[in-house]
Amino acid sequence: MADIDETDSAAALLPNDPDLERLREAAAECTACPLYKNATQTVFGEGPERALIMLVGEQPGDAEDLAGHPFVGPAGKLLDRCMTAAGIDRRRAYVTNAVKHFKWVPRGTRRIHSKPGSMEIAACFPWLEAEIAAVKPRLVVALGATAAQALFGKAFRVTRERGKLIPSRWAPHAMATVHPSSLLRAPDEETRERETALFIEDLKKAAAVLRSS
C-alpha cells in the first residue's frame, strides 16, 4: 500500500491462494480495526472474478451495511446509471471499497457516514490488495480521495489527476475520479447535472481504455 503503514491483523486472516469466495468468507470475521464493533457486517466487493474493470470506493454506507452488498444505496444507484450512460455493464464490473465496515456517528435515529482514518484504511488494505490480486483487472478506477490515496499514495490529488491514466502497480491501467456520493451533495440541480456529466465523461474514458486493451 502506498505511503500508509500496513497492519498484519487482516493479513493473518488471508487464506493461501485465495479466490474471491474464500476471501469473502475470511473477511466476514475481520476484527483488524474497531469499526466492526458498530457495523452490521463486513461488506465485501462483488463482481466477476475476472472482471476487466474494478471500481474502488471509500466504504459501505448505511444501505450497504444493512444489505451486505456494495454500492446499493443512493450513490450506488447513481453509479449504475452513470456506468450505463458510459457504456459499462455493472454486471461485468467488480465493485468494492477501501474499507469494508461502515463507519458512522449517530444523529437522532439516523446513522451518518464518518470518513475513515488512515489507520482504518491501512488495517483493511490487505483485503483490497487480495481482491485486486484475485480479480486481476485490466483497469482499476478509484472513486474519491480515500480510495485514490489508499491505492496511489497520500500525495495523490483527485482534483489534479482526475480522469487521467496514471502509472500503477495494481493493474495495466489505472485512473481516479470523484465518488458518486459527491454528486448527491451538490448544492443545486444545475451543479449536480454538470458534475454528473463530467463523471460520465470520466467513465467513458475508462470504457475506451477497456475497448482498446
Side-chain angles (χ1 to χ4, degrees), residues 25-85:
E25 291 173 358
E29 305 301 322
C30 188
T31 58
C33 79
L35 293 185
Y36 79 95
K37 296 178 181 178
N38 293 321
T40 303
Q41 59 197 313
T42 302
V43 181
F44 207 68
E46 291 183 348
E49 180 127 11
R50 287 295 179 263
L52 294 180
I53 182 171
M54 177 183 286
L55 297 102
V56 182
E58 180 188 85
Q59 66 167 350
D62 183 75
E64 290 79 8
D65 174 73
L66 296 173
H69 302 287
F71 287 98
V72 295
K77 290 179 172 59
L78 178 56
L79 176 63
D80 284 350
R81 295 196 296 271
C82 291
M83 289 175 70
T84 298

Side-chain angles (χ1 to χ4, degrees), residues 1 14-15 44 65 69 78 84 112 129 132 150 159 176 179 210 213:
M1 180 179 181
L14 293 174
F44 207 68
D65 174 73
H69 302 287
L78 178 56
T84 298
I112 304 301
E129 191 171 34
I132 296 172
T159 52
H179 195 285
L210 296 178
S213 62

